[in-house]
Amino acid sequence: MNRLRASFPVLTVVAAILALWYVAAAGLNLQWERDQAARAKTEVPFATMLANTMAQDRPVLPVPHQVAVEIWETTFEKKITSKRSLVYHGWITLSATMLGFVFGTALGMALAVGIVHNRAMDLSVMPWVIASQTVPILAIAPMIIVVLNAVGLSGLIPKALISTYLSFFPVAVGMVKGFRSPDAIQLDLMRTWSADRGQVFWKLRWPAATPYLFASLKVAVAASLLGAIVGELPTGAVAGLGARLLAGSYYGQTVQIWSALFAAAALAAVLVALVGLAGRITLARRGQAGGV
Amino acid sequence: MRDLALNGLARQPLLLAPAALGLGLISLMLARDGMPAWGWALVLGAWACAWALVAALAARVGQSGGGGDRALRLAIPLIFGATLLFLWEAVAVGARIPPVLLPPPSAIAARFAGSLPILYADFSQTFLRSVLIGYALGCSAAVVCALAIDRSPFLQRGLLPVGNFVAALPIVGIAPIMVMWFGFDWPSKAAVVVVMVFFPMLVNTVEGLKAAERMQLDLMRTWAASHRQTLLRLRLPMAAPFIFNGLKIASTLALIGAIVAEFFGTPTVGMGFRISTEVGRMNVDMVWAEIALAALAGSAFYGIIALIEQAVTFWHPSQRGARA
């Protein structure tokens, strides 16, 4: 019951957005219908025109149910090996995302461990970790892809590298914070037990950092998906959700663009939710307070 | 005894700095006409000296107060960055990596200096028009929206989850749609930027408006402060750290959005356009020059916002901590 009450405002807002969307679609697509009518020199009643705006082939703004139908058809009614199946494209993007996510998490953690344990590294590397994100890496994506293609590396790895670059940052920053979250009094206690650095790390810092880990993994997985999608843009629209976007924009297939966009959104939501779930289960098993 | 002397030597920045510099310069000169095997030893030596220098300087941070300390904190990352550039140069030149793959920094710098007019034209198209205009519009719209949401708890509970959800989505995906709607020139890029910065900014501002504490709000009430007064004197200042956090996140997003949107169609000028065409022509040093420009613009943008933040939220613990 409580959940229902909490979701009511959200549902209202979503419904309002959908309603706005229909109105906007009618407004934006009407011009084309008018032009058609003028060209055919026929008088089309306004109501028919309005109805037609909902079913254009290449609308300026497709209406939600058109997008929903397209997603349904390309997800469930095509064979998943078909080039027109969203599942096929989604899988390609997902595999690059996961590979990049794993790389990025490993790199971020390694950096965080180094930064926490070595003062010189803290002072010299940390500013560059932060500065690295002011470089619009996505802008370099096409070059990385093309250059790596020239060396013979193609397919998953180049895309995964872009995802890595985007996802290591939240993990590194979050884990540095997490590894430093134990209080001085706790560190002192470890010292009175004459624990060495490894023991302090595994028995105190690592458990203390776990909530931070999952919070930053959530950000990292979303960033990693973004990297994979943008990494697919310059490959000449071969496969993947990003390629669907680019192909759609080349051929004016707006419905295809929107359906790829929604597939990407759904994928992002599922990934973030899965990481969140894993975090809750892990923390609950440990009896730690959930989330940061 | 000898160990002690060596140890002392390894802690002398005055000795280490010239050693690193000298070894580095010699190895770079060697690299130019084919690196001999012992040249790599020099490269490693220079690297070791530079790292020892960083470590020695890092050990001194916090010993001297005030200006010296701040200079050290600035110098350490700079030395580290210079070391990375040096290694890049040495490997790229010494190992004869094809420039198409990885041009050495010197070639990129030469290209940068040689094509300033083109770079400026791209900068003004992408940054001064698309990014700045889109950023200003998107961020102010988000703040206004947040203030509106703030008046209604219903909207807060409804819009925030949606906003949080949208903020995690790969929004650059709307770039092709915006290009279709607003044409090839900068307005379509600015539109992408507006949408990209809007949600992170909205979420952060709403979060910030909740930052004022119950006690403080009650105090305002005992002074019979109006909603407007409470907002201006208490809640907006309290929200400032959150708002600036949003502004910082949005600043990097804005640049990314504008550049990626240019991949979907632009007039023949702009950073994203230049990158995608020069990649096609395998002019990789030009691409790197463009990336360097993007990095400089991005860092400067971020830096300016951070400076404004320092000036506005000087009272906040995170800022006071950084000063002391």
Side-chain angles (χ1 to χ4, degrees), chain A:
Chain A
M1 196 60 213
N2 232 338
R3 275 195 102 102
L4 212 77
R5 197 175 299 161
S7 61
F8 176 64
V10 180
L11 290 178
T12 316
V13 168
V14 171
I17 291 174
L18 283 180
L20 258 179
W21 187 344
Y22 272 105
V23 173
L28 284 167
N29 298 341
L30 204 53
Q31 191 56 45
W32 193 81
E33 292 294 331
R34 280 215 191 93
D35 291 349
Q36 282 304 95
R39 209 170 292 156
K41 300 226 166 51
T42 47
E43 204 61 38
V44 181
F46 185 72
T48 323
M49 248 200 267
L50 206 59
N52 284 345
T53 58
M54 304 287 150
Q56 290 177 1
D57 252 358
R58 293 175 179 189
V60 180
L61 175 61
V63 285
H65 65 252
Q66 273 181 308
V67 178
V69 166
E70 166 85 8
I71 290 180
W72 176 263
E73 279 178 358
T74 48
T75 310
F76 298 105
E77 294 184 359
K78 297 267 190 299
K79 259 194 262 165
I80 52 169
T81 47
S82 153
K83 287 246 156 132
R84 299 190 57 193
S85 161
L86 262 186
V87 180
Y88 167 77
H89 291 287
W91 170 248
I92 288 180
T93 305
L94 180 67
S95 46
T97 305
M98 289 328 286
L99 195 62
F101 177 59
V102 171
F103 285 170
T105 308
L107 177 64
M109 281 210 223
L111 275 178
V113 170
I115 286 172
V116 169
H117 286 101
N118 184 329
R119 187 160 164 73
M121 227 177 132
D122 176 22
L123 287 165
S124 61
V125 178
M126 196 60 186
W128 288 104
V129 169
I130 291 166
S132 75
Q133 298 303 303
T134 65
V135 179
I137 173 67
L138 293 179
I140 320 180
M143 195 194 55
I144 296 176
I145 305 272
V146 171
V147 163
L148 288 182
N149 259 330
V151 220
L153 257 184
S154 61
L156 272 189
I157 304 283
K159 284 189 272 176
L161 282 182
I162 293 165
S163 295
T164 305
Y165 189 95
L166 284 179
S167 57
F168 94 92
F169 174 71
V171 176
V173 171
M175 288 311 271
V176 166
K177 222 179 199 172
F179 286 144
R180 288 199 176 136
S181 62
D183 289 331
I185 195 168
Q186 294 167 322
L187 287 169
D188 283 346
L189 183 61
M190 292 304 271
R191 201 139 103 208
T192 61
W193 288 331
S194 80
D196 59 32
R197 273 190 160 192
Q199 284 169 325
V200 173
F201 181 81
W202 289 114
K203 306 218 158 135
L204 176 60
R205 287 192 195 272
W206 177 251
T210 315
Y212 292 84
L213 173 67
F214 283 103
S216 29
L217 284 185
K218 273 196 226 169
V219 182
V221 82
S224 164
L225 179 65
L226 175 66
I229 288 177
V230 175
E232 282 160 356
L233 293 181
T235 49
V238 184
L241 292 174
R244 286 289 277 187
L245 282 178
L246 196 67
S249 98
Y250 280 164
Y251 304 118
Q253 297 285 2
T254 34
V255 184
Q256 185 188 324
I257 299 181
W258 282 93
S259 65
L261 208 54
F262 272 87
L267 200 54
V270 168
L271 287 176
V272 172
L274 278 181
V275 173
L277 187 68
R280 272 206 300 282
I281 292 174
T282 315
L283 293 178
R285 276 191 152 182
R286 292 243 188 100
Q288 265 175 311
V292 179

Side-chain angles (χ1 to χ4, degrees), chain B residues 144-158:
Chain B
V144 171
C145 253
L147 290 178
I149 290 175
D150 182 57
R151 299 299 293 254
S152 146
F154 182 81
L155 276 185
Q156 253 184 50
R157 265 178 286 141

Side-chain angles (χ1 to χ4, degrees), chain A residues 142 233 246 249-250, chain B residues 121-127 129-130 175-176 178-190 192 255-278 290:
Chain A
L233 293 181
L246 196 67
S249 98
Y250 280 164
Chain B
D122 292 344
F123 175 76
S124 79
Q125 167 77 15
T126 303
F127 195 82
R129 299 213 179 97
S130 322
M178 291 298 163
V179 172
M180 244 175 236
W181 288 2
F182 295 100
F184 278 179
D185 212 349
W186 63 267
S188 62
K189 281 73 194 178
V192 174
L255 200 51
I256 290 176
I259 292 179
V260 172
E262 286 183 357
F263 295 157
F264 289 95
T266 98
T268 56
V269 65
M271 288 153 82
F273 164 79
R274 193 77 54 203
I275 289 174
S276 52
T277 49
E278 298 292 331
E290 205 69 55

